[in-house]
Amino acid sequence: MKQTTPSSATTQHYPLTRLPGVGPSVAQKLARLGINTIADLLFHLPLRYQDRTRIAAIGSLRNGDEVTVRGEVQLSEIKYGRRRMLLSRISDGTGFLTLRFFHFSAQQQAKLARGVQVECFGEVRAGASGLEMVHPEHQQIDPATPPPNAARLTPVYPTTEGLRQLKLRALIQTLLNDPGLFNTHLEELLPTDMLHDIQLPALAAAVHYVHYPPADAPLATLQSGEHPMQQRLAFEELLAHQLSLRLLRRRQEKRPAPALSGEGLMQKALLDALPFALTHAQQRVAEEIRHDLQQPHPMQRLVQGDVGSGKTIVAALAALQAVEAGFQVAVMAPTELLAEQHRNNFTAWLAPLGVAVHWLSGKTKGAARRETLAAMAEGSAQVIVGTQALFQEEVAYAHLGLVIIDEQHRFGVHQRLSLRDKGRDNDGYPHQLVMTATPIPRTLAQTAYADLDLSIIDELPPGRSPVETVVIAEQRRDEVVARLHKACREGRQAYWVCPLVEESEKLQCQAAQETAEALQAALSDLRIGLVHGRLKAAEKTAVMACFKAGELDLLVATTVIEVGVDVPNATLMVIDNAERLGLSQLHQLRGRVGRGAGQSSCVLLYGAGLSKTARARLAILRESNDGFVVAQKDLEIRGPGELLGTRQTGLVNLRIADLQRDHALIPQVARCADTLLRNHPTLVGPLLQRWLGDGLRYGKV
Ligand code: ADP
Ligand code: MG
């Protein structure tokens, strides 16, 4: 149920079933489309438009045109090919067009008799014997009737089974023609001076236009969603999202958190013990975090840094600040393997300083689990590294001061919030530090993470040489294997990655297993290991340890090694079926090599029949080693949902706006959000209600 706000209390309770033509069954179908209110119906926008305003000359038709034509039936006959069909040939004097029907009644056949004048609407296709329309809409006409000359383009809506396009059109048309209904449900919420300032039209005008554009509207602009009338709606939606994140953040800023102040002696001790000095970027970000942690309000900071930029040490420094102040730290990673890496690093760095580092994953069972849980609850466990298991129901902390989450994009905003609440105690809420290697383009970050502060580690540690990337067709696999063999014989180590073959972990593991066997058969003098998601944690750890110790030459793996694995001597990576992965994911995988001083390379193998565009996409990786460049291209190609991993989490659940298409609006959206919060706070509630409805809940925690 939608919540009500004072301004729309009456309208929210106006059920769709009160509209003429909407019974319970239609209402149910509308609900399937996410349409529960009159406003929802008005914001259910066309997918595309048909131009039925003109009658096209048959002689001018081209493959793919969607048009209305008129003509006289020259010939109608039933053909028996593989299927029985009715073929009618019409002409308007400028050319011939075939109408093809696979389903037809005798009655229909009679209507298309020779000499009859018909009007048809449909898509033109190039058939075997010239241009044709398959199952066009058609009707007999009196040649004397004037052309339809509809003044407007015809909308085509997204619909669902059992709900006809015509029905949906009629319903929306009813609303548009009823000024009373229309006005109460589409109240203009943006102040006039703001509209003037952003040079976008009023809401009512935009909604009218977008449903029924005039005949001379720029069709291409409309189809791509870039018409100012559409942008007006996208703008308002983006604004509502921005506002909800701002409010979320404001609430956070008012919450209490332990101020983690101290002399920083432990941090200094760690820095002194490190075999390297922090980069300038690491120092800057570490300082930003230090400052945040000293405040009596929870830090909400996102640290972005390309693979290998050294985020872990920055996180370890933050952890020490909390430990020194007497608080616990939870370090959470999305996978067992990555968590394991953190456990190793944190133990190596912090244990020598006397810090108790503990481990908890879903697979920690029995006595080990009981002991860890007890140590966490009484407070003797100071740093606890693990997976989501760290925040399960039965887990309790004595005094959690800081939560560190790696690879943020795999966790959604909801999860982040539930972690925060979990850590809540008498001292308030824990601070949160989230780290991601996905370099989110700025405009996207502003929209998706407007509730977080952003720090960027934009510098790699010295001495890294860029990974040389090549894109090679599967047919040349043997050459690649030979090259791999040579490299390993020279003492280098290598990865062979087998990505998801289908949406099945089982198949993926199987593919990796088969690849490992085939490679072992071909390269019998190499020591080859295998890791995949179905191995037991202990087995995985053992294989990784062997590889790290140089006891394996080649590691065959599924994408479980995507994040976190750190073996500087590994300088070659082969990625099988590279076309199946996103660019950012490939970039992260490739970040597993190029960690030592030696020249590293990455071979992207692609399967047969890859299109030119898909190859061009892979070539982006050959041309750039910069995660930001890769992410920007990835965004252009794949859209933001996948980049942010938000498809599943519903973080950016937009109805009309498209972050990629409309990114140019975002700076304005941000400015207008400020203005509204400052000068028109009463408009904020209704805007959120209109666009987020139930989704508001997360903003209210
Ligand atoms: P990521 O940002 O991908 O998580 P890591 O934190 O795993 O990167 O760091 C990658 C490697 O670089 C690790 O071996 C780490 O010890 C090392 N490293 C981090 N900072 C520096 C530095 N300033 N100088 C040299 N090596 C560094
Ligand atoms: Mg990392």
Side-chain angles (χ1 to χ4, degrees):
M1 274 298 290
K2 299 254 163 175
Q3 290 154 350
T4 56
T5 57
S7 75
S8 58
T10 48
T11 61
Q12 293 292 331
H13 287 137
Y14 191 104
L16 280 173
T17 42
R18 274 214 241 153
L19 287 178
V22 182
S25 134
V26 170
Q28 208 173 31
K29 284 169 192 143
L30 288 170
R32 251 192 266 148
L33 293 168
I35 302 173
N36 299 302
T37 66
I38 304 247
D40 288 344
L41 195 52
L42 285 164
F43 287 122
H44 189 67
L45 302 190
L47 271 180
R48 58 192 187 87
Y49 301 90
Q50 293 168 342
D51 185 354
R52 295 170 182 252
T53 61
R54 292 171 299 116
I55 295 195
I58 292 178
S60 71
L61 297 184
R62 274 183 302 180
N63 191 11
D65 285 352
E66 202 178 26
V67 287
T68 308
V69 293
R70 285 180 168 190
E72 184 181 311
V73 178
Q74 309 292 312
L75 170 80
S76 258
E77 57 181 354
I78 294 178
K79 275 250 161 118
Y80 297 88
R82 253 179 311 157
R83 291 167 69 184
R84 178 172 169 269
M85 60 183 115
L86 171 65
L87 295 177
S88 301
R89 203 164 163 78
I90 65 167
S91 167
D92 65 353
T94 69
F96 291 94
L97 180 70
T98 303
L99 314 180
R100 190 186 293 273
F101 300 88
F102 295 104
H103 310 281
F104 55 93
S105 57
Q107 209 182 5
Q108 211 168 3
Q109 190 187 344
K111 275 197 198 153
L112 287 165
R114 186 187 153 95
V116 169
Q117 293 282 337
V118 288
E119 181 176 305
C120 312
F121 177 84
E123 192 184 327
V124 178
R125 297 198 328 189
S129 52
L131 294 176
E132 61 179 43
M133 280 184 183
V134 177
H135 280 265
E137 289 174 27
H138 63 102
Q139 65 187 71
Q140 188 172 348
I141 47 159
D142 174 349
T145 37
N149 198 17
R152 318 218 141 244
L153 298 181
T154 307
V156 180
Y157 294 100
T159 186
T160 182
E161 203 174 322
L163 186 64
R164 283 168 11 100
Q165 194 60 238
L166 286 178
K167 177 79 186 178
L168 207 46
R169 248 178 233 160
L171 281 176
I172 292 171
Q173 183 100 68
T174 313
L175 290 181
L176 293 174
N177 291 338
D178 184 332
L181 270 183
F182 187 83
N183 291 333
T184 30
H185 293 272
L186 280 189
E187 192 189 346
E188 181 64 73
L189 295 172
L190 301 187
T192 320
D193 51 346
M194 183 176 286
L195 283 177
H196 184 75
D197 194 41
I198 57 180
Q199 299 195 323
L200 286 175
L203 182 70
V207 170
H208 262 292
Y209 187 98
V210 166
H211 284 290
Y212 281 96
D216 59 354
L219 198 55
T221 316
L222 277 171
Q223 307 282 34
S224 64
E226 288 165 305
H227 194 281
M229 294 291 187
Q230 292 162 313
Q231 294 279 292
R232 164 64 174 83
L233 303 178
F235 179 87
E236 192 176 309
E237 184 176 32
L238 288 172
L239 183 62
H241 276 263
Q242 183 80 16
L243 287 168
S244 77
L245 288 170
R246 297 279 178 103
L247 291 181
L248 189 62
R249 184 192 173 114
R250 279 193 176 182
R251 272 179 228 114
Q252 277 161 2
E253 284 166 356
K254 291 205 192 100
R255 296 198 150 94
L260 305 175
S261 44
E263 282 182 74
L265 292 179
M266 296 183 95
Q267 292 178 328
K268 191 167 176 308
L270 173 58
L271 288 173
D272 286 345
L274 285 179
F276 53 77
L278 295 189
T279 62
H280 290 292
Q282 284 172 316
Q283 283 174 27
R284 190 189 66 239
V285 172
E287 194 45 51
E288 286 165 354
I289 296 169
R290 236 179 94 72
H291 175 263
D292 281 1
L293 292 177
Q294 289 169 348
Q295 310 310 311
H297 302 290
M299 169 173 81
Q300 297 290 329
R301 190 169 282 280
L302 175 68
V303 173
Q304 240 178 52
D306 209 345
V307 257
S309 63
K311 295 183 288 293
T312 322
I313 187 69
V314 170
L317 289 167
L320 283 178
Q321 189 168 341
V323 169
E324 193 173 284
F327 286 89
Q328 292 171 297
V329 180
V331 183
M332 180 169 82
T335 66
E336 189 98 1
L337 198 68
L338 180 55
E340 192 88 40
Q341 291 281 328
H342 283 320
R343 175 200 198 177
N344 296 341
N345 280 321
F346 276 78
T347 308
W349 286 330
L350 307 192
L353 304 174
V355 178
V357 179
H358 286 246
W359 167 255
L360 185 73
S361 88
K363 292 179 181 156
T364 315
K365 296 267 151 56
R369 184 176 183 84
R370 279 196 300 279
E371 276 162 32
T372 303
L373 288 178
M376 287 165 73
E378 64 165 41
S380 64
Q382 292 169 292
V383 173
I384 309 97
V385 184
T387 56
Q388 270 123 311
L390 289 174
F391 291 93
Q392 273 159 8
E393 209 61 59
E394 74 276 17
V395 177
Y397 294 83
H399 33 65
L400 185 61
L402 170 65
V403 176
I404 297 173
I405 307 172
D406 199 2
E407 296 304 329
Q408 147 70 15
H409 66 290
R410 308 218 172 160
F411 300 109
V413 71
H414 305 264
Q415 275 164 302
R416 218 163 64 220
L417 292 174
S418 76
L419 294 191
R420 187 198 63 200
D421 292 342
K422 179 87 191 169
R424 170 169 200 178
D425 65 13
N426 297 336
D427 297 304
Y429 293 84
H431 297 277
Q432 273 196 8
L433 177 64
V434 291
M435 304 191 283
T436 179
T438 306
I440 302 140
R442 188 132 215 128
T443 48
L444 255 188
Q446 274 180 345
T447 314
Y449 297 122
D451 65 322
L452 295 174
D453 289 308
L454 187 61
S455 290
I456 302 181
I457 306 185
D458 50 4
E459 185 185 353
L460 292 181
R464 300 271 171 83
S465 45
V467 179
E468 184 210 4
T469 302
V470 291
V471 181
I472 295 182
E474 158 74 28
Q475 293 94 298
R476 290 170 58 201
R477 198 182 179 89
D478 289 348
E479 280 171 50
V480 174
V481 171
R483 175 169 166 182
L484 174 85
H485 195 199
K486 182 159 173 288
C488 290
R489 299 261 303 255
E490 286 166 359
R492 294 162 67 184
Q493 286 175 283
Y495 297 100
W496 189 292
V497 184
C498 308
L500 210 60
V501 180
E502 276 162 50
E503 297 290 321
S504 148
E505 195 199 19
K506 187 171 163 213
L507 285 177
Q508 188 189 18
C509 299
Q510 210 175 321
Q513 176 121 30
E514 282 161 15
T515 305
E517 283 161 11
L519 286 170
Q520 187 68 78
L523 311 169
S524 53
D525 58 330
L526 294 190
R527 297 161 301 170
I528 301 182
L530 171 67
V531 283
H532 57 64
R534 303 198 127 206
L535 291 185
K536 295 215 170 70
E539 292 173 309
K540 240 187 283 181
T541 314
V543 177
M544 289 309 302
C546 280
F547 188 62
K548 193 154 186 171
E551 290 156 17
L552 290 173
D553 303 303
L554 174 65
L555 185 68
V556 177
T558 53
T559 42
V560 294
I561 63 154
E562 183 187 346
V563 280
V565 176
D566 191 22
V567 181
N569 192 47
T571 54
L572 175 62
M573 173 175 286
V574 180
I575 305 178
D576 240 339
N577 296 304
E579 73 278 9
R580 296 196 176 139
L581 294 174
L583 290 185
S584 287
Q585 210 185 355
L586 287 168
H587 177 69
Q588 298 210 8
L589 275 169
R590 154 175 90 168
R592 301 304 113 207
V593 292
R595 300 211 144 199
Q599 170 63 54
S600 293
S601 13
C602 175
V603 178
L604 304 178
L605 272 180
Y606 62 85
L610 193 61
S611 73
K612 219 166 145 188
T613 354
R615 276 207 304 275
R617 192 177 77 97
L618 290 179
I620 291 168
L621 287 170
R622 193 176 61 212
E623 274 136 38
S624 180
N625 260 289
D626 181 332
F628 276 86
V629 174
V630 172
Q632 185 59 45
K633 302 272 184 194
D634 209 16
L635 176 68
E636 284 162 20
I637 295 169
R638 302 206 304 164
E642 284 180 66
L643 197 58
L644 293 170
T646 48
R647 287 266 145 86
Q648 314 85 307
T649 61
L651 171 54
V652 188
N653 192 5
L654 298 167
R655 281 196 259 169
I656 293 176
D658 173 326
L659 282 181
Q660 187 188 326
R661 183 192 64 207
D662 306 327
H663 69 96
L665 292 173
I666 289 171
Q668 270 184 341
V669 166
R671 256 201 324 278
C672 291
D674 283 337
T675 311
L676 279 181
L677 286 169
R678 207 174 37 242
N679 302 338
H680 308 277
T682 51
L683 296 176
V684 174
L687 268 172
L688 295 188
Q689 181 59 50
R690 172 179 291 166
W691 292 100
L692 283 90
D694 288 352
L696 274 180
R697 250 178 299 115
Y698 76 79
K700 292 232 164 96
V701 253

